[in-house]
Amino acid sequence: ARNLHCILVSSNELLRTEKGRVANALAAGLLEIVAEHKHSVARLDDQARNGVLLLSQLEQQLLKPARTLDAVKTVVETVMNQYLSGGTILHTLESRLREESDPLRRNAFLLLFNRAVTPYLTMLAKWVYLGYMPPCDIPEFLEDVKEDILSAGKHRDVLRGYEDSLVRTVSTNLAAEHMTGYPTPPVLSVDVFNPTPLHDMIRQSRAASGQAVLSLLTSEQVDLYGVLRTARRFILG
């Protein structure tokens, strides 16, 4: 975990990418698990020294955490040995989480997924609500709304590229609202076992931004040059 973290923080360029931010958050989650494991070992060692635990009991208590660390190690090796995008890292964690039956290991993978998905969702929100930085890869839990994600961001990019002076002439409140966009996009979160609420938010953004683009293209109060430029940006964007 420390090696992965050091590799990432040594490259500011990498930390600006989707992959870098997701992997860095994953490394932080791994360090969190390792720190908790060390704390548990120290506590058990103290109990053994004070005669509260027998050596055989100590070994039994350490067995499950050791298996958890071994399972987590495979994820680290996969990330470090393969060039994975942020979406693929999340897909790897999601797959392990769904396949895992052991409660301790499942909790570990859930923690890693929740840590790693946070920066991805932050970048996703900037695309879906502001039209900045399209995601490089879509993880499995967003596959059902892949087209909605791409379209919503494209709509926002079109609206963002439209000049403010022209927007002021648009009478449609919806168009004006989504032209100015969201100065701070909503904070997205996901339950990997029930991603429907997140899917609904993305679909709503696509519908609203699509309506705003249509309003701009059809408004009689916008000059023809502005409309044609917006249409060109939408088609070629």
Side-chain angles (χ1 to χ4, degrees):
R2 291 191 182 278
N3 289 340
L4 177 60
H5 181 69
C6 290
I7 291 172
L8 290 165
V9 298
S10 65
S11 173
N12 291 329
E13 184 67 28
L14 183 58
L15 282 176
R16 285 194 287 268
T17 67
E18 171 194 297
K19 169 187 169 64
R21 294 181 185 183
V22 171
N24 190 56
L26 172 62
L30 290 167
L31 291 174
E32 189 176 337
I33 290 176
V34 171
E36 178 61 28
H37 178 69
K38 288 182 177 180
H39 176 74
S40 298
V41 170
R43 176 174 51 81
L44 292 172
D45 180 65
D46 184 63
Q47 291 178 352
R49 289 176 183 275
N50 292 326
V52 179
L53 283 177
L54 299 176
L55 182 59
S56 58
Q57 294 174 318
L58 177 62
E59 292 176 347
Q60 186 65 30
Q61 289 286 338
L62 291 174
L63 188 59
K64 288 185 178 180
R67 287 202 300 264
T68 299
L69 289 179
D70 187 59
V72 168
K73 178 185 175 183
T74 62
V75 174
V76 179
E77 292 173 343
T78 300
V79 172
M80 294 191 68
N81 295 334
Q82 301 180 30
Y83 187 81
L84 302 182
S85 66
T88 308
I89 291 174
L90 293 174
H91 174 67
T92 300
L93 292 172
E94 181 186 359
S95 297
R96 292 301 304 268
L97 179 57
R98 292 184 180 278
E99 295 168 359
E100 189 55 65
S101 58
D102 180 83
L104 285 177
R105 290 197 291 269
R106 191 174 190 181
N107 287 339
F109 285 125
L110 181 59
L111 184 148
L112 293 177
F113 178 84
N114 287 337
R115 296 294 182 272
V117 79
T118 299
Y120 182 90
L121 292 179
T122 298
M123 298 181 74
L124 180 66
K126 290 182 179 180
W127 170 248
V128 171
Y129 290 97
L130 301 178
Y132 290 107
M133 298 179 67
C136 298
D137 193 15
I138 304 296
E140 186 69 24
F141 66 89
L142 290 174
E143 190 64 32
D144 289 347
V145 288
K146 181 177 181 178
E147 293 302 320
D148 297 284
I149 290 172
L150 298 177
S151 296
K154 191 174 182 180
H155 292 158
R156 301 289 179 181
D157 183 46
V158 169
L159 294 170
R160 185 167 50 83
Y162 205 79
E163 290 183 0
D164 290 340
S165 60
L166 294 177
V167 174
R168 296 191 188 99
T169 68
V170 180
S171 60
T172 304
N173 291 333
L174 181 62
E177 173 191 347
H178 289 284
M179 181 61 248
T180 55
Y182 294 76
T184 302
V187 176
L188 300 180
S189 61
V190 63
D191 178 351
V192 68
F193 298 107
N194 180 29
T196 301
L198 176 60
H199 292 180
D200 290 343
M201 290 184 67
I202 292 171
R203 291 188 177 109
Q204 289 168 7
S205 179
R206 177 189 181 178
S209 58
Q211 180 60 47
V213 169
L214 182 61
S215 297
L216 285 176
L217 293 175
T218 59
S219 174
E220 296 180 355
Q221 299 185 41
V222 177
D223 67 339
L224 181 60
Y225 175 74
V227 171
L228 291 176
R229 185 172 57 182
T230 299
R232 180 178 182 275
R233 186 181 180 92
F234 178 75
I235 294 171
L236 300 180

